[in-house]
Amino acid sequence: MSYIKQIESLVILQDIDKEMGDLEKTLEAAPKEVETLKERLEIQENQRKQVEEKLKILQEQDEKLTKELEEDQAKLKKSKNKLMMVENSKEYHAIMREIDTLEKNSRLKEEEKLTLEEELDTQQRLLDALNEEISKISGELQQKEDALDKIINRCESRIKELKEKRAEFAKQIPPPILSRYEFIRARLSNPVIVPVEDSICTGCHISIPPQTYIELQKGLQILSCPNCQRLIYWKNHFEVE
Ligand SMILES: [Zn+2]
């Protein structure tokens, strides 16, 4: 296998590895998005449950107060009727005191009812906002879940394709060079094989020694950058499309 062919195969191998790496990252990230949405939904639903419970209690209190107020009004009416039929001033004063107490209690209850209704209103608005948010997240979740299967299938079938392609190319590369490639790949961040341009290694951006540069231009064997250890080739030898 010619020197240029080897470089070409290594570059293709690297492209395949890069694409596979990206696909694996996607495979890992996609279910996490669904998980995050599920967690968000759960938080909002718990909050909704709390608000609904609070609303229930407030409504019960409101009903109780309304009923009490009605009863008070009835009592008041009764007392006022009694007032018409009093026979002496002692009785009159007693009924007046009764009416006074009833009216005072009613006023307090009216105030309480007002505060309660304000709180009911606040909680109701909170519930409306939560419902809106929950339906938004549910919609988004449904979409992501539907898309997830498609993403997984697409990534998995592409990875399978790439693995076959990789095995094909790996076969063409002499084993010592392939194992150098794998060695570097396991230890360095991408890329593994890089062009040298005007004697500068594009992997680490440091100039390679003149003697190495001359060797590289001869194109007889695969060399490594003395600084970053990446496999290098002269840019003029091979142009990546
Ligand atoms: Zn380098």
Side-chain angles (χ1 to χ4, degrees):
M1 191 191 218
S2 77
Y3 171 81
I4 297 295
K5 205 83 192 123
Q6 284 179 20
I7 295 288
E8 191 186 35
S9 296
L10 284 168
V11 169
I12 290 169
L13 202 66
Q14 168 162 283
D15 287 346
I16 292 171
D17 285 340
K18 165 95 173 53
E19 194 182 339
M20 276 211 282
D22 290 347
L23 288 166
E24 271 153 15
K25 268 183 221 153
T26 307
L27 270 179
E28 219 178 293
K32 278 184 191 152
E33 276 181 38
V34 170
E35 272 319 300
T36 309
L37 277 175
K38 275 187 186 161
E39 279 163 23
R40 268 177 60 201
L41 191 63
E42 207 190 308
I43 291 169
Q44 301 282 322
E45 278 172 343
N46 280 337
Q47 223 176 322
R48 175 165 71 181
K49 221 171 117 192
Q50 282 174 13
V51 172
E52 278 170 345
E53 274 164 21
K54 205 168 179 182
L55 265 169
K56 202 175 153 235
I57 293 168
L58 288 170
Q59 272 154 359
E60 279 166 7
Q61 282 178 335
D62 192 45
E63 275 164 32
K64 191 171 160 258
L65 265 179
T66 308
K67 210 175 145 213
E68 279 176 17
L69 275 165
E70 277 166 15
E71 282 165 8
D72 284 356
Q73 286 306 311
K75 276 186 210 161
L76 206 57
K77 204 176 160 195
K78 221 166 126 193
S79 297
K80 280 178 179 165
N81 283 341
K82 268 198 283 181
L83 205 56
M84 315 272 192
M85 295 176 275
V86 285
E87 283 162 4
N88 55 54
S89 79
K90 198 181 159 205
E91 212 181 328
Y92 176 83
H93 287 297
I95 295 172
M96 276 309 279
R97 270 199 303 276
E98 202 179 279
I99 290 174
D100 213 36
T101 309
L102 277 169
E103 279 179 338
K104 206 185 277 169
N105 277 346
S106 277
R107 269 199 305 277
L108 286 174
K109 278 176 192 164
E110 295 276 9
E111 274 166 33
E112 204 186 326
K113 194 170 150 69
L114 220 61
T115 313
L116 204 64
E117 274 162 6
E118 270 171 29
E119 185 57 20
L120 262 169
D121 199 42
T122 307
Q123 294 299 324
Q124 187 57 54
R125 263 181 301 196
L126 197 57
L127 183 65
D128 292 344
L130 280 167
N131 278 334
E132 200 181 315
E133 182 69 7
I134 285 168
S135 93
K136 212 178 93 191
I137 300 173
S138 300
E140 215 179 313
L141 180 64
Q142 188 63 51
Q143 266 183 352
K144 291 269 182 209
E145 276 180 329
D146 290 347
L148 185 63
D149 284 345
K150 280 182 208 145
I151 291 172
I152 290 174
N153 286 339
R154 205 182 57 221
C155 285
E156 279 175 349
S157 76
R158 181 66 183 149
I159 286 173
K160 192 169 164 268
E161 248 174 55
L162 288 170
K163 272 186 181 155
E164 283 163 15
K165 203 172 153 196
R166 190 186 200 279
E168 198 70 28
F169 275 96
K171 258 196 299 194
Q172 294 172 29
I173 301 165
I177 291 165
L178 184 62
S179 60
R180 259 167 79 193
Y181 173 91
E182 300 287 17
F183 184 85
I184 299 165
R185 190 165 83 97
R187 282 157 186 82
L188 284 179
S189 58
N190 254 339
V192 175
I193 177 160
V194 291
V196 169
E197 201 176 350
D198 299 327
S199 93
I200 304 285
C201 163
T202 58
C204 64
H205 307 287
I206 285 173
S207 172
I208 60 166
Q211 191 53 44
T212 313
Y213 194 42
I214 292 165
E215 285 298 312
L216 190 70
Q217 285 170 318
K218 283 186 194 158
L220 296 174
Q221 56 168 326
I222 307 264
L223 298 173
S224 288
C225 166
N227 180 56
C228 70
Q229 312 305 323
R230 288 185 172 93
L231 301 177
I232 49 175
Y233 61 91
W234 189 33
K235 192 176 180 286
N236 297 30
H237 276 154
F238 176 75
E239 204 63 64
V240 182
E241 318 97 46

